[in-house]
Amino acid sequence: MKLRITIDGPAGAGKSTVARELAHALGYGYLDTGAMYRALALAALRAGIAPEDAPGLMRLLSSVDLRLEHGRLRLDGEDVADEIRQPAVDRIVSLVAAHPAVREALVARQRSIASEGGIVMDGRDAGSVVLPDAECKFFLTASLPARAGRRHRELLAQGVRVDLAEVEREMANRDAQDEMRAVGALKVPDGALVVDTTGLGVADVVDRLLRACRERGA
Ligand code: DC
């Protein structure tokens, strides 16, 4: 059976690496919903639209071509998979993602991509709002220092030199914004298996999730 699998959790909990590997192990598709919010934030930066300007963001969303091709996100045909991870995008993406109209539009796209099943979707509200009746739901978490350390290593690997303390500060800010917003706030979805990944390797986490999915018929 082709299941719908959701993985939610705060930034840096290891969701995207685990989701990608789980999808690969099952032969399923992978959808990184955060990348969609990031791409809109990047488009807004480029167009000079403020992250608080909901009507401007909605106009932008209907005028740009945002699509996933072979797991890479394209904005008007350009591969932006790396650029959407830049600190300038990190700083505004929570504000962009807080607008109910923006969320409604992107959630509709996410549901349509998942409509045939056989998908692993990661995000903040994948199991609570986008696919509340998904067959398998997970919530990955880890301590703030562990999450900031992972994000810092990712940035260094991309050649972006930033201070670890600053990464930790910005992550704490983003967590607070993601948890407090009125719509699509980060929370543990009903029925989700919570896994604390602090000190665990990717392979251990993927194994644990894979076992749970197999038990549900994947
Ligand atoms: O997972 P990430 O760091 O790439 O997410 C980027 C931002 O988008 C983060 O601030 C939370 C937001 N987001 C969201 O609001 N809803 C989602 N389903 C995924 C991400």
Side-chain angles (χ1 to χ4, degrees):
M1 191 168 67
K2 291 249 179 194
L3 307 186
R4 288 159 307 161
I5 300 167
T6 61
I7 305 183
D8 291 300
K15 296 183 303 285
S16 50
T17 311
V18 166
R20 197 175 292 111
E21 295 208 3
L22 183 64
H24 182 73
L26 291 167
Y28 282 13
Y30 164 53
L31 178 62
D32 175 355
T33 60
M36 297 172 83
Y37 292 98
R38 285 174 176 275
L40 180 59
L42 175 65
L45 277 178
R46 287 179 173 178
I49 292 171
E52 294 83 4
D53 177 4
L57 292 171
M58 291 306 288
R59 274 195 300 279
L60 188 60
L61 195 53
S62 56
S63 68
V64 294
D65 176 21
L66 184 63
R67 67 178 69 203
L68 257 183
E69 268 177 30
H70 312 294
R72 307 276 296 182
L73 200 69
R74 289 185 176 269
L75 182 62
D76 290 331
E78 179 192 345
D79 184 329
V80 291
D82 294 329
E83 213 176 328
I84 58 171
R85 308 278 155 205
Q86 293 298 311
V89 172
D90 279 350
R91 280 193 283 273
I92 64 159
V93 64
S94 283
L95 296 172
V96 169
H99 300 294
V102 166
R103 300 198 69 82
E104 200 181 310
L106 290 183
V107 165
R109 291 190 193 197
Q110 292 155 13
R111 286 190 183 133
S112 132
I113 294 171
S115 60
E116 291 182 5
I119 189 114
V120 181
M121 181 183 289
D122 80 358
R124 302 293 188 288
D125 60 348
S128 55
V129 174
V130 187
L131 302 175
D133 52 353
E135 289 80 10
C136 266
K137 298 184 194 179
F138 301 102
F139 189 89
L140 298 191
T141 182
S143 69
L144 179 62
R147 295 189 290 114
R150 279 183 194 145
R151 179 76 183 124
H152 188 239
R153 283 192 295 279
E154 261 172 36
L155 287 169
L156 288 183
Q158 286 169 25
V160 181
R161 303 202 68 80
V162 279
D163 195 42
L164 175 60
E166 190 187 324
V167 173
E168 192 165 320
R169 224 175 10 253
E170 286 195 355
M171 198 170 251
N173 262 337
R174 206 142 63 88
D175 284 352
Q177 284 169 4
D178 290 340
E179 282 162 19
M180 288 181 321
R181 69 167 163 254
V183 185
L186 174 67
K187 63 169 186 184
V188 179
D190 284 342
L193 175 69
V194 179
V195 179
D196 186 333
T197 67
T198 311
L200 290 182
V202 173
D204 293 327
V205 181
V206 173
D207 262 7
R208 194 122 138 219
L209 271 49
L210 195 53
R211 259 185 286 130
C213 295
R214 296 276 189 228
E215 280 166 16
R216 287 176 173 76

